[in-house]
Amino acid sequence: MKHSRRNHYSSYQQRRRIRHAVILSTAAILVALVVAAVSLVFRNRSAPIEEESASSAASSVSSESSVSESSVMESGNSLSSVSSESSSSQSSQESSTGPSSESSVQPSGNDLRITDRPKMSVLGDEEKVIYLTFDDGPCDTTRELLALLAQYDAKATFFVCCQTANQEKYIDTLKDCSDQGHAVAVHTYSHKMDEVYSSPEAYYQDFLKMYNLIEEVTGKKPANFFRFPGGSKNSYNERSRKAIVEEMVGRGFIYYDWDGDSGDASGNHVPAETIYQNVMTSIHKGCNLILLHNTFGKETTIEALRRILPEAKAEGYTFKALDGTLDPTHYYIFTADLFIDAALDNSDLQLSDWRMAKLENQ
């Protein structure tokens, strides 16, 4: 790994020297053009310019350009090769210098990439940690939910979107979520599964739109993980699933499904008792990552949490927000094989010792 990164840095230094040579040669061409233009203007004021003179000036500029290109060629690289690499040199420079202290996400225009992240880990068998995750928000009950979580010193993760005009009215609550220590992560912008799963590019563009909105509202980088609409394995993404996982994991993002389901997605106003029983049963079975929803028609989810939070805390459980270090292959995603293959192809991702041991024993 270290040898590979040294080779990467050496390659970057070589490309930087070539880029500087191109800049110098381009500047020489521009100077020649300016001199030629000034000369033409001066001659135009003093006497009519014949076509042969203009042709001569153009020929002089062309000759200067050829000399500049030749000097770059003699350095061992063609001008066209330098041009193709110069567009990537900026992202290479950012990668080699490492992330900023504020975030590990290194944007290059609309190109989101996470260039370093801590090694993943798994929870110990005796750790009583619960990750409550809320999909599809924000909505009119988000602040009520936040107040309830604060009452029991519980942190959670919000996988958010902006799928309706009505939802836009509550988008400012994302800042409240972030400011109160909860994780805010992308669940796509539109949540239109037939559209976002049409191709890796369609998924990424929709993801990017929501990512930028979260950053605009909260003033912070969104989480370096996300959740697929409908989970990572659904009927909409059968054909595009592998390519989308490779696209997003290749960019350094990881994703989570769940190992405990509250059942509140089965319809609006699911009885609070049903949600309560589903969640507590999941917790007692050893599940850690619970699927819930915070959107319109899910008021009974909050009602159920008024029992779940105090009872679970009394039993010694703590409620934490995901931070991107939990290894999703530890029973928290439905497409572990796809994720593992993509993660192993990205040197910036480090799977947990638990997972690597399993791979070595296969």
Side-chain angles (χ1 to χ4, degrees), residues 276-303:
Y276 165 81
Q277 292 293 342
N278 288 339
V279 172
M280 293 305 295
T281 298
S282 294
I283 290 175
H284 292 150
K285 285 182 177 180
C287 297
N288 303 109
L289 212 160
I290 310 298
L291 172 67
L292 302 116
H293 292 77
N294 176 231
T295 189
F296 307 99
K298 307 299 180 185
E299 293 84 359
T300 53
T301 297
I302 296 178
E303 184 180 342

Side-chain angles (χ1 to χ4, degrees), residues 133-353:
T133 64
F134 297 93
D135 285 10
D136 299 346
C139 69
D140 54 346
T141 61
T142 300
R143 287 195 170 94
E144 180 184 356
L145 173 57
L146 290 174
L148 179 61
L149 293 171
Q151 182 181 343
Y152 294 98
D153 193 26
K155 301 304 179 186
T157 302
F158 291 83
F159 290 102
V160 298
C161 51
C162 191
Q163 53 187 316
T164 66
N166 193 32
Q167 193 171 27
E168 290 181 6
K169 296 190 300 185
Y170 304 99
I171 205 70
D172 62 316
T173 59
L174 297 185
K175 181 169 175 55
D176 297 330
C177 295
S178 178
D179 289 348
Q180 292 178 33
H182 305 289
V184 181
V186 175
H187 193 44
T188 70
Y189 184 93
S190 67
H191 207 286
K192 295 179 179 177
M193 298 205 286
D194 55 339
E195 294 181 8
V196 300
Y197 289 131
S198 63
S199 70
E201 176 65 17
Y203 187 88
Y204 176 68
Q205 289 302 322
D206 192 275
F207 177 98
L208 178 64
K209 187 175 182 179
M210 192 65 215
Y211 184 98
N212 289 337
L213 180 59
I214 293 172
E215 184 173 10
E216 177 185 341
V217 172
T218 65
K220 303 173 186 177
K221 297 289 186 184
N224 56 16
F225 54 86
F226 66 98
R227 174 172 284 164
F228 286 107
S232 63
K233 188 175 184 179
N234 58 73
S235 60
Y236 290 91
N237 69 7
E238 285 181 339
R239 295 183 178 180
S240 60
R241 183 183 305 146
K242 182 175 183 294
I244 294 175
V245 168
E246 290 174 348
E247 172 71 23
M248 298 306 296
V249 177
R251 292 178 175 277
F253 289 92
I254 66 175
Y255 59 91
Y256 294 99
D257 291 318
W258 53 89
D259 64 344
D261 189 350
S262 68
D264 66 351
S266 60
N268 288 336
H269 309 295
V270 174
E273 178 65 23
T274 300
I275 297 171
Y276 165 81
Q277 292 293 342
N278 288 339
V279 172
M280 293 305 295
T281 298
S282 294
I283 290 175
H284 292 150
K285 285 182 177 180
C287 297
N288 303 109
L289 212 160
I290 310 298
L291 172 67
L292 302 116
H293 292 77
N294 176 231
T295 189
F296 307 99
K298 307 299 180 185
E299 293 84 359
T300 53
T301 297
I302 296 178
E303 184 180 342
L305 285 168
R306 296 189 187 281
R307 295 176 60 190
I308 294 168
L309 289 170
E311 289 187 22
K313 285 185 72 71
E315 294 178 15
Y317 290 93
T318 58
F319 295 91
K320 295 184 178 181
L322 290 166
D323 61 4
T325 61
L326 186 68
D327 189 339
T329 70
H330 193 240
Y331 314 117
Y332 306 127
I333 54 175
F334 310 139
T335 52
D337 289 344
L338 290 180
F339 177 87
I340 291 168
D341 287 343
L344 291 175
D345 286 338
N346 186 341
S347 62
D348 292 321
L349 293 178
Q350 300 179 68
L351 294 170
S352 65
D353 291 338

